[in-house]
Amino acid sequence: MLSKKQTQLPIFITSNSPFKSSLFFIIIFLTAWFLLLFFWLPPTNPIHINLHRAYHLISNHIINSHMHRQPFSVYIYDMPSEFNLGLVKNCHHLNMHRDMCPHVANHGLGQPLQHVNAVGPACWFATNQFTAAMIFHARLENHPLRTWDPSRATLFYVPFYGGLHASSKFRETNLTARDELAVRFSEFLESQPWWQRNNGKDHFVVLGRTAWDFMRTKGGPDYGASTLLNLPRVQNLSVLAIERNPWTGKNQHGIPYPSYFHPCTSSQMLTWQHSMRLSKRPHLFSFVGAPRKGLQRAAIRDELIKQCGESIRCKLLTCRYGSGPSNKCSSPSEILGVMSKSQFCLQAPGDSFTRRSTFDSVLAGCIPVFFSRHTAYTQYMWYLPQDAEEYSVYINGENGNATRRIEDELMKIPRERVERMRKKVIDLIPRVTYKHPNASDDDLKSCKFRFRNLRGQDIIVSIERTNYDGGARLL
Ligand SMILES: *[C@@H]1O[C@H](CO)[C@@H](O)[C@H](O)[C@H]1NC(C)=O
Ligand SMILES: *[C@@H]1O[C@H](CO)[C@@H](O)[C@H](O)[C@H]1NC(C)=O
Ligand SMILES: *[C@@H]1O[C@H](CO)[C@@H](O)[C@H](O)[C@H]1NC(C)=O
Ligand SMILES: *[C@@H]1O[C@H](CO)[C@@H](O)[C@H](O)[C@H]1NC(C)=O
């Protein structure tokens, strides 16, 4: 399923030629845009629009007449509860390894944490890595650009917690039964008048697990996945997931794994960023993770653990399966404690290319070191700088090959560059942080990202009310 094929990767974000537009169009558009801003924004809301953003908007042909009339409003489907809240109610049986009930609490934020320092307790939660869909949903429900009138909506959010369901069916050997809900989901879409209008191309779903968990193919190996993302109708849906298929996932967009920090206010965010800037980092690098058996892709892990163990400059936090107190990896303060004292954090692929740990390390101001391009670069284009060297280190580790000593590679990097990268990483924290669903929008400063739905509408997502906030970034 995860082929090793490294052919040319589809670069997802392409731009309709920005320069085709006539000057006339641009002027008309800018005028319309400013008028729109003027009327759309409540007067108390400061208008933060700068030339850079205006350029962005123009260059991506964001507008059509429909959006002029009613920009960026999102309609949330009221779905049968078997697709969302019914799954949450069944939380004792969602996952064979653990009881998900504590994790789906608080709209997917999980249990509040008392012990993480620096910022008030209300912003820290023991958030599970697979609950992004719930947090997203909670955020969108409170969103100022939500509309209850589908005829006014430009975007349609389909709140299906497909990831929660997937993990409950990994061991289901009857494939018809495993795929039943996915098929009903597809039928639900088809039966909606608003789906018909644009063949679903203005609809999106958020999945809190990797795309691979929904991409079983006929005749391919069976890792427990459903066929959700291979169903014909679903091809017309924009799919936001914590890991996309970099080769065929043309309608898939990577969104961050949730980490533990869910601030309500910008001052909580700024305080945290400040403390990460000041943090002393005695370890050159660290690795937090468990060994993996068998998988070729993860073979690099054994090598990293070996190299880390042999180096006095490396801090190793080994994890074991299970969630008891002996497992330090289930302790957010242990994890962030190690990462915030490290300059570099190794991000080896595990069961799949991506890791939640990447986002924990950004949160801790620790520069990520990647061993596969698919751990971040082909995944999170909405969130991370295009130039990977600005914020990360890449060591080619395809095929489990990390023959070079990581310590030597990292020692070679000049100190100024390390500091530049760390600054960039800390600046990225707001972009990849799911803020508290009840946080007020005006309070948290954040950056934008671009969302092209399948109608070809580019949507600049930002916390300011100028745009639809798909919410993934600072939810
Ligand atoms: C947000 O506020 C509402 C209303 O006070 C509350 O019901 C909900 O549980 C809160 N959400 C979270 C995640 O705490
Ligand atoms: C497999 O599941 C389907 C749908 O739940 C059911 O109708 C069918 O009888 C099952 N097949 C077997 C062999 O159990
Ligand atoms: C997807 O959209 C295209 C038009 O944009 C339409 O022709 C096609 O039938 C749609 N596919 C499905 C399965 O609805
Ligand atoms: C492993 O890395 C070394 C050094 O970078 C390189 O010479 C070698 O060809 C690589 N082997 C594979 C199988 O990629």
Side-chain angles (χ1 to χ4, degrees), residues 270-285:
L270 293 172
T271 307
W272 176 256
Q273 285 176 293
H274 186 64
S275 67
M276 288 304 100
R277 278 182 203 110
L278 297 182
S279 184
K280 293 243 173 342
R281 298 177 188 269
H283 312 305
L284 176 66
F285 61 121

Side-chain angles (χ1 to χ4, degrees), residues 133-373:
M134 296 187 67
I135 307 174
F136 197 107
H137 188 187
R139 180 72 194 137
L140 219 47
E141 285 189 323
N142 284 343
H143 201 278
L145 295 186
R146 176 180 184 185
T147 175
W148 274 263
D149 177 0
S151 72
R152 296 164 67 97
T154 44
L155 283 175
F156 294 80
Y157 168 56
V158 201
F160 176 30
Y161 301 164
L164 293 185
H165 178 256
S167 56
S168 72
K169 296 289 176 190
F170 286 154
R171 296 257 168 104
E172 174 63 70
T173 51
N174 179 343
L175 298 182
T176 315
R178 197 194 292 166
D179 291 336
E180 247 172 358
L181 195 63
V183 170
R184 279 209 294 281
F185 174 71
S186 170
E187 288 165 356
F188 171 86
L189 296 177
E190 181 69 11
S191 68
Q192 302 303 312
W194 300 105
W195 174 273
Q196 308 287 349
R197 187 175 65 177
N198 291 306
N199 283 307
K201 295 201 169 181
D202 42 12
H203 284 51
F204 71 100
V205 69
V206 180
L207 297 173
R209 291 194 76 100
T210 75
W212 310 107
D213 289 335
F214 311 95
M215 297 189 79
R216 190 183 77 246
T217 49
K218 243 204 178 94
D222 181 9
Y223 297 113
S226 75
T227 54
L228 176 69
L229 295 186
N230 291 330
L231 298 175
R233 260 171 229 132
V234 175
Q235 307 312 307
N236 277 4
L237 184 65
S238 296
V239 177
L240 280 54
I242 53 173
E243 177 171 337
R244 58 190 291 269
N245 175 329
W247 296 282
T248 63
K250 292 205 168 54
N251 62 333
Q252 298 167 7
H253 311 263
I255 57 169
Y257 285 71
S259 188
Y260 309 109
F261 186 39
H262 306 288
C264 293
T265 66
S266 54
S267 80
Q268 289 169 338
M269 175 58 85
L270 293 172
T271 307
W272 176 256
Q273 285 176 293
H274 186 64
S275 67
M276 288 304 100
R277 278 182 203 110
L278 297 182
S279 184
K280 293 243 173 342
R281 298 177 188 269
H283 312 305
L284 176 66
F285 61 121
S286 64
F287 180 68
V288 177
R292 287 283 191 286
K293 280 201 209 87
L295 282 171
Q296 202 182 16
R297 192 174 351 101
I300 180 90
R301 283 201 173 208
D302 293 339
E303 177 68 22
L304 299 191
I305 289 171
K306 179 169 153 278
Q307 288 198 25
C308 185
E310 287 168 3
S311 166
I312 53 161
R313 296 196 169 89
C314 189
K315 174 77 184 167
L316 183 62
L317 191 65
T318 328
C319 312
R320 308 257 170 261
Y321 273 114
S323 50
S326 62
N327 184 2
K328 291 186 172 166
C329 291
S330 60
S331 160
S333 55
E334 288 276 353
I335 295 171
L336 293 179
V338 168
M339 289 180 166
S340 63
K341 292 184 180 61
S342 306
Q343 302 185 42
F344 295 95
C345 288
L346 308 183
Q347 303 300 343
D351 301 318
S352 67
F353 291 112
T354 63
R355 295 185 82 203
R356 178 244 181 79
S357 176
T358 300
F359 298 96
D360 295 341
S361 93
V362 170
L363 177 60
C366 185
I367 300 159
V369 181
F370 296 116
F371 299 86
S372 163
R373 297 177 40 72

Side-chain angles (χ1 to χ4, degrees), residues 7-258:
T7 51
Q8 176 130 42
L9 298 174
I11 299 303
F12 179 75
I13 298 180
T14 55
S15 176
N16 302 332
S17 166
F19 305 109
K20 271 189 213 145
S21 356
S22 66
L23 188 61
F24 178 74
F25 173 79
I26 293 173
I27 292 166
I28 294 291
F29 157 56
L30 275 179
T31 314
W33 182 251
F34 281 105
L35 281 176
L36 181 149
L37 280 177
F38 186 77
F39 290 113
W40 180 258
L41 289 168
T44 52
N45 201 13
I47 298 175
H48 298 292
I49 183 149
N50 57 34
L51 286 176
H52 179 62
R53 169 166 301 150
Y55 167 75
H56 233 73
L57 292 165
I58 296 162
S59 69
N60 292 296
H61 282 200
I62 189 170
I63 358 285
N64 58 30
S65 57
H66 180 63
M67 294 178 104
H68 271 175
R69 216 169 50 240
Q70 193 48 245
F72 312 117
S73 53
V74 60
Y75 177 76
I76 304 178
Y77 274 103
D78 185 14
M79 301 184 81
S81 73
E82 64 171 345
F83 294 110
N84 42 52
L85 297 183
L87 292 165
V88 174
K89 278 210 187 90
N90 188 31
C91 57
H92 290 300
H93 309 287
L94 287 177
N95 189 305
M96 58 200 174
H97 296 302
R98 66 186 72 222
D99 181 357
M100 286 297 283
C101 292
H103 303 293
V104 298
N106 293 311
H107 302 268
L109 298 180
Q111 300 303 310
L113 287 173
Q114 307 301 339
H115 304 297
V116 181
N117 55 4
V119 201
C123 4
W124 292 92
F125 292 81
T127 306
N128 181 272
Q129 57 177 330
F130 296 129
T131 56
M134 296 187 67
I135 307 174
F136 197 107
H137 188 187
R139 180 72 194 137
L140 219 47
E141 285 189 323
N142 284 343
H143 201 278
L145 295 186
R146 176 180 184 185
T147 175
W148 274 263
D149 177 0
S151 72
R152 296 164 67 97
T154 44
L155 283 175
F156 294 80
Y157 168 56
V158 201
F160 176 30
Y161 301 164
L164 293 185
H165 178 256
S167 56
S168 72
K169 296 289 176 190
F170 286 154
R171 296 257 168 104
E172 174 63 70
T173 51
N174 179 343
L175 298 182
T176 315
R178 197 194 292 166
D179 291 336
E180 247 172 358
L181 195 63
V183 170
R184 279 209 294 281
F185 174 71
S186 170
E187 288 165 356
F188 171 86
L189 296 177
E190 181 69 11
S191 68
Q192 302 303 312
W194 300 105
W195 174 273
Q196 308 287 349
R197 187 175 65 177
N198 291 306
N199 283 307
K201 295 201 169 181
D202 42 12
H203 284 51
F204 71 100
V205 69
V206 180
L207 297 173
R209 291 194 76 100
T210 75
W212 310 107
D213 289 335
F214 311 95
M215 297 189 79
R216 190 183 77 246
T217 49
K218 243 204 178 94
D222 181 9
Y223 297 113
S226 75
T227 54
L228 176 69
L229 295 186
N230 291 330
L231 298 175
R233 260 171 229 132
V234 175
Q235 307 312 307
N236 277 4
L237 184 65
S238 296
V239 177
L240 280 54
I242 53 173
E243 177 171 337
R244 58 190 291 269
N245 175 329
W247 296 282
T248 63
K250 292 205 168 54
N251 62 333
Q252 298 167 7
H253 311 263
I255 57 169
Y257 285 71

